Coordinates of all heavy atoms in Angstrom, one line a residue:
D23 N 15.8 51.2 -61.3 CA 15.6 51.9 -62.5 C 16.7 51.8 -63.6 O 16.4 51.6 -64.7 CB 15.2 53.3 -62.1 CG 14.0 53.5 -61.4 OD1 13.0 52.7 -61.5 OD2 13.9 54.6 -60.7
V24 N 17.9 51.9 -63.1 CA 19.0 51.8 -63.9 C 19.1 50.5 -64.6 O 19.4 50.3 -65.8 CB 20.4 52.1 -63.2 CG1 21.6 51.8 -64.1 CG2 20.3 53.6 -62.7
R25 N 18.9 49.3 -63.8 CA 18.9 48.0 -64.3 C 17.8 47.9 -65.5 O 18.1 47.3 -66.5 CB 18.7 47.0 -63.3 CG 19.9 46.7 -62.4 CD 19.8 45.5 -61.6 NE 18.7 45.5 -60.7 CZ 18.7 46.0 -59.5 NH1 19.8 46.4 -59.0 NH2 17.5 46.0 -58.7
R26 N 16.7 48.5 -65.2 CA 15.6 48.3 -66.1 C 15.9 49.1 -67.5 O 15.7 48.7 -68.6 CB 14.3 48.9 -65.6 CG 13.1 48.9 -66.5 CD 11.9 49.3 -65.8 NE 11.4 48.4 -64.8 CZ 10.4 48.6 -64.1 NH1 9.5 49.6 -64.2 NH2 10.0 47.7 -63.1
R27 N 16.5 50.3 -67.3 CA 16.9 51.2 -68.4 C 17.9 50.4 -69.3 O 17.9 50.5 -70.6 CB 17.5 52.5 -67.9 CG 17.8 53.5 -69.1 CD 16.7 53.8 -70.0 NE 15.5 54.2 -69.4 CZ 15.4 55.5 -68.9 NH1 16.2 56.4 -68.9 NH2 14.2 55.8 -68.3
I28 N 19.0 49.8 -68.7 CA 19.9 49.1 -69.4 C 19.3 47.9 -70.2 O 19.6 47.6 -71.3 CB 21.0 48.5 -68.5 CG1 21.9 49.7 -68.0 CG2 21.9 47.7 -69.3 CD1 22.5 50.6 -69.0
D29 N 18.3 47.3 -69.6 CA 17.5 46.3 -70.3 C 16.9 46.8 -71.5 O 16.7 46.3 -72.6 CB 16.6 45.5 -69.4 CG 17.3 44.5 -68.4 OD1 18.5 44.2 -68.7 OD2 16.6 44.1 -67.5
D30 N 16.2 48.0 -71.3 CA 15.6 48.7 -72.4 C 16.5 49.0 -73.6 O 16.3 48.9 -74.8 CB 14.9 50.0 -71.9 CG 13.8 49.8 -70.9 OD1 13.2 48.6 -71.0 OD2 13.4 50.8 -70.2
Y31 N 17.7 49.6 -73.2 CA 18.7 49.8 -74.2 C 19.0 48.5 -75.0 O 19.0 48.5 -76.2 CB 20.1 50.1 -73.6 CG 20.3 51.5 -73.1 CD1 19.1 52.5 -73.0 CD2 21.5 52.0 -72.7 CE1 19.4 53.7 -72.5 CE2 21.8 53.3 -72.2 CZ 20.6 54.2 -72.1 OH 20.8 55.4 -71.7
R32 N 19.2 47.5 -74.3 CA 19.7 46.2 -75.0 C 18.6 45.8 -75.9 O 18.9 45.3 -77.0 CB 20.0 45.2 -73.9 CG 20.7 44.0 -74.3 CD 21.0 42.9 -73.2 NE 21.9 43.6 -72.3 CZ 21.5 43.9 -71.0 NH1 20.4 43.7 -70.6 NH2 22.4 44.5 -70.3
E33 N 17.3 45.8 -75.5 CA 16.2 45.4 -76.3 C 16.0 46.3 -77.5 O 15.8 45.8 -78.7 CB 14.9 45.4 -75.6 CG 13.7 44.9 -76.3 CD 13.8 43.6 -76.9 OE1 14.5 42.7 -76.4 OE2 13.4 43.5 -78.1
V34 N 16.2 47.6 -77.3 CA 16.0 48.5 -78.4 C 17.2 48.3 -79.5 O 17.0 48.3 -80.7 CB 15.9 50.0 -78.0 CG1 16.0 51.0 -79.2 CG2 14.6 50.1 -77.2
F35 N 18.4 48.2 -78.9 CA 19.4 47.9 -80.0 C 19.4 46.6 -80.6 O 19.7 46.5 -81.8 CB 20.8 48.0 -79.1 CG 21.1 49.4 -78.5 CD1 22.1 49.5 -77.7 CD2 20.3 50.6 -78.8 CE1 22.5 50.8 -77.2 CE2 20.6 51.7 -78.2 CZ 21.7 51.9 -77.4
R36 N 18.8 45.7 -80.0 CA 18.5 44.4 -80.7 C 17.5 44.5 -81.7 O 17.6 44.0 -82.9 CB 18.1 43.4 -79.6 CG 17.8 41.9 -80.3 CD 17.3 41.0 -79.2 NE 18.3 40.8 -78.1 CZ 18.1 41.0 -76.9 NH1 17.0 41.6 -76.5 NH2 19.1 40.9 -76.0
R37 N 16.5 45.4 -81.5 CA 15.5 45.7 -82.5 C 16.0 46.4 -83.7 O 15.7 46.1 -84.9 CB 14.3 46.5 -81.8 CG 13.1 46.7 -82.8 CD 12.0 47.4 -81.9 NE 11.4 46.4 -80.9 CZ 10.5 46.7 -80.1 NH1 9.9 47.9 -80.2 NH2 10.0 45.8 -79.3
I38 N 17.0 47.3 -83.4 CA 17.7 48.0 -84.5 C 18.6 47.1 -85.4 O 18.4 47.1 -86.6 CB 18.5 49.2 -83.9 CG1 17.6 50.3 -83.4 CG2 19.4 49.8 -85.1 CD1 18.4 51.4 -82.5
A39 N 19.3 46.3 -84.7 CA 20.1 45.3 -85.4 C 19.3 44.3 -86.2 O 19.7 43.8 -87.2 CB 21.0 44.6 -84.3
G40 N 18.1 44.0 -85.7 CA 17.2 43.0 -86.4 C 16.3 43.5 -87.4 O 15.6 42.7 -88.0
V41 N 16.3 44.8 -87.6 CA 15.3 45.2 -88.7 C 15.7 44.6 -90.0 O 16.9 44.6 -90.4 CB 15.3 46.8 -88.7 CG1 16.6 47.4 -89.3 CG2 14.0 47.3 -89.4
P42 N 14.8 44.2 -90.7 CA 15.2 43.4 -92.0 C 15.5 44.2 -93.3 O 15.0 44.0 -94.3 CB 14.0 42.5 -92.2 CG 12.8 43.3 -91.7 CD 13.3 44.0 -90.5
K43 N 16.2 45.3 -93.1 CA 16.7 46.1 -94.2 C 17.9 46.8 -93.7 O 18.3 46.8 -92.5 CB 15.6 47.2 -94.5 CG 15.0 47.9 -93.3 CD 13.7 48.5 -93.7 CE 12.6 47.5 -93.8 NZ 11.3 48.0 -94.2
P44 N 18.8 47.2 -94.7 CA 20.1 47.8 -94.2 C 20.1 49.0 -93.4 O 19.2 49.9 -93.7 CB 20.8 48.1 -95.6 CG 20.1 47.3 -96.5 CD 18.6 47.1 -96.1
T45 N 20.9 49.3 -92.5 CA 21.0 50.4 -91.6 C 22.4 50.9 -91.7 O 23.3 50.2 -91.6 CB 20.6 50.0 -90.2 OG1 21.4 48.9 -89.6 CG2 19.1 49.6 -90.0
I46 N 22.5 52.2 -91.7 CA 23.7 52.9 -91.9 C 23.7 54.0 -90.8 O 22.8 54.8 -90.7 CB 23.9 53.5 -93.2 CG1 23.8 52.6 -94.3 CG2 25.2 54.4 -93.3 CD1 23.7 53.1 -95.8
C47 N 24.7 54.0 -90.0 CA 24.9 55.0 -88.9 C 25.8 56.1 -89.5 O 27.1 55.8 -89.8 CB 25.4 54.4 -87.7 SG 25.3 55.7 -86.3
A48 N 25.4 57.3 -89.6 CA 26.2 58.4 -89.9 C 26.6 59.1 -88.6 O 26.0 59.9 -88.0 CB 25.6 59.4 -90.9
I49 N 27.9 58.9 -88.1 CA 28.5 59.4 -86.9 C 29.0 60.7 -87.0 O 30.2 60.9 -87.5 CB 29.4 58.4 -86.2 CG1 28.9 56.9 -86.2 CG2 29.9 58.9 -84.9 CD1 29.8 55.9 -85.8
N50 N 28.1 61.7 -86.8 CA 28.5 63.1 -87.3 C 29.3 63.9 -86.2 O 29.8 64.9 -86.3 CB 27.3 63.9 -87.6 CG 26.2 63.9 -86.4 OD1 25.8 62.9 -86.0 ND2 25.8 65.1 -86.0
G51 N 29.3 63.2 -85.0 CA 30.0 63.8 -83.9 C 30.3 62.8 -82.8 O 30.3 61.6 -83.1
Y52 N 30.6 63.2 -81.6 CA 30.9 62.3 -80.5 C 30.0 61.2 -80.4 O 28.8 61.3 -80.3 CB 31.1 63.0 -79.2 CG 32.2 64.1 -79.0 CD1 31.8 65.3 -78.4 CD2 33.4 63.9 -79.7 CE1 32.8 66.3 -78.4 CE2 34.4 64.9 -79.6 CZ 34.0 66.1 -78.9 OH 35.0 67.1 -78.8
A53 N 30.6 60.0 -80.2 CA 29.8 58.8 -80.0 C 30.5 58.0 -78.9 O 31.5 57.3 -79.1 CB 29.6 57.9 -81.2
F54 N 30.0 58.2 -77.6 CA 30.7 57.6 -76.5 C 29.7 56.7 -75.8 O 28.4 56.8 -75.8 CB 31.1 58.7 -75.5 CG 32.2 59.5 -76.1 CD1 32.1 60.8 -75.8 CD2 33.2 59.1 -76.7 CE1 33.0 61.7 -76.3 CE2 34.2 59.9 -77.3 CZ 34.1 61.2 -77.0
G55 N 30.1 55.6 -75.1 CA 29.3 54.8 -74.4 C 28.1 54.2 -75.1 O 28.2 53.6 -76.2
G56 N 27.0 54.5 -74.6 CA 25.8 54.0 -75.2 C 25.5 54.4 -76.6 O 24.9 53.8 -77.5
G57 N 26.1 55.7 -76.9 CA 26.0 56.2 -78.2 C 26.8 55.4 -79.3 O 26.3 55.1 -80.4
L58 N 27.9 54.8 -78.8 CA 28.7 54.0 -79.7 C 28.1 52.6 -79.9 O 28.0 52.0 -80.9 CB 30.1 53.9 -79.3 CG 31.1 53.0 -80.2 CD1 31.0 53.5 -81.6 CD2 32.5 53.1 -79.6
E59 N 27.4 52.1 -78.8 CA 26.8 50.9 -78.8 C 25.6 50.9 -79.7 O 25.3 50.0 -80.5 CB 26.3 50.5 -77.3 CG 27.4 50.1 -76.5 CD 27.0 49.8 -75.1 OE1 26.4 50.7 -74.4 OE2 27.3 48.8 -74.5
L60 N 24.9 52.1 -79.8 CA 23.8 52.3 -80.7 C 24.3 52.3 -82.1 O 23.7 51.7 -83.0 CB 23.2 53.7 -80.4 CG 22.1 54.3 -81.4 CD1 21.0 53.3 -81.6 CD2 21.6 55.6 -80.9
A61 N 25.4 52.9 -82.3 CA 26.1 52.9 -83.7 C 26.4 51.5 -84.1 O 26.3 51.1 -85.3 CB 27.2 53.9 -83.8
M62 N 27.0 50.7 -83.2 CA 27.4 49.4 -83.5 C 26.2 48.5 -83.8 O 26.4 47.4 -84.4 CB 28.3 48.8 -82.4 CG 29.6 49.5 -82.3 SD 30.9 48.6 -81.4 CE 30.0 48.8 -79.7
A63 N 25.0 48.8 -83.3 CA 23.8 48.0 -83.6 C 23.4 48.1 -85.1 O 22.7 47.3 -85.6 CB 22.7 48.3 -82.8
C64 N 23.9 49.1 -85.9 CA 23.6 49.3 -87.2 C 24.5 48.3 -88.1 O 25.6 47.9 -87.6 CB 23.8 50.8 -87.6 SG 22.6 51.9 -86.8
D65 N 24.2 48.2 -89.3 CA 24.9 47.3 -90.2 C 26.3 47.9 -90.7 O 27.3 47.3 -90.7 CB 24.1 46.9 -91.5 CG 22.9 46.1 -91.2 OD1 23.0 45.2 -90.5 OD2 21.8 46.6 -91.6
L66 N 26.2 49.2 -90.9 CA 27.4 49.9 -91.4 C 27.5 51.2 -90.7 O 26.6 51.8 -90.2 CB 27.3 50.2 -92.9 CG 27.0 49.0 -93.9 CD1 27.0 49.6 -95.3 CD2 28.1 48.0 -93.8
R67 N 28.8 51.8 -90.6 CA 29.0 53.1 -90.0 C 29.9 53.9 -90.9 O 30.9 53.4 -91.3 CB 29.8 52.8 -88.6 CG 28.7 52.4 -87.6 CD 29.5 51.6 -86.4 NE 30.0 50.3 -87.1 CZ 29.3 49.2 -87.3 NH1 28.0 49.3 -87.0 NH2 29.7 48.1 -87.9
V68 N 29.5 55.1 -91.0 CA 30.3 56.2 -91.7 C 30.6 57.2 -90.5 O 29.7 57.7 -89.9 CB 29.7 56.9 -92.9 CG1 30.6 57.9 -93.5 CG2 29.3 55.7 -93.8
V69 N 31.9 57.6 -90.4 CA 32.2 58.5 -89.2 C 32.9 59.8 -89.7 O 33.7 59.6 -90.7 CB 33.0 57.8 -88.2 CG1 34.4 57.3 -88.7 CG2 33.3 58.5 -87.0

């Protein structure tokens, strides 16, 4: 189940990175582990 979930993460973050319009992550609080990986899938980050 864990292996499958990580594959899900990877696919979803790839989908976020590949959306054909700009994405900005507004990091309003802690971003650790997968949270920071999610933020890095965006084009720009404001923290």
Side-chain angles (χ1 to χ4, degrees):
D23 288 337
V24 173
R25 288 195 297 270
R26 179 176 297 181
R27 179 60 51 77
I28 293 301
D29 285 346
D30 291 342
Y31 280 11
R32 195 176 297 113
E33 179 55 36
V34 169
F35 295 173
R36 185 182 295 117
R37 187 171 290 181
I38 292 169
V41 73
K43 50 201 73 182
T45 53
I46 303 166
C47 187
I49 306 173
N50 57 302
Y52 296 139
F54 298 136
L58 183 55
E59 290 177 304
L60 171 58
M62 289 192 294
C64 295
D65 295 312
L66 306 178
R67 282 152 298 283
V68 182
V69 63

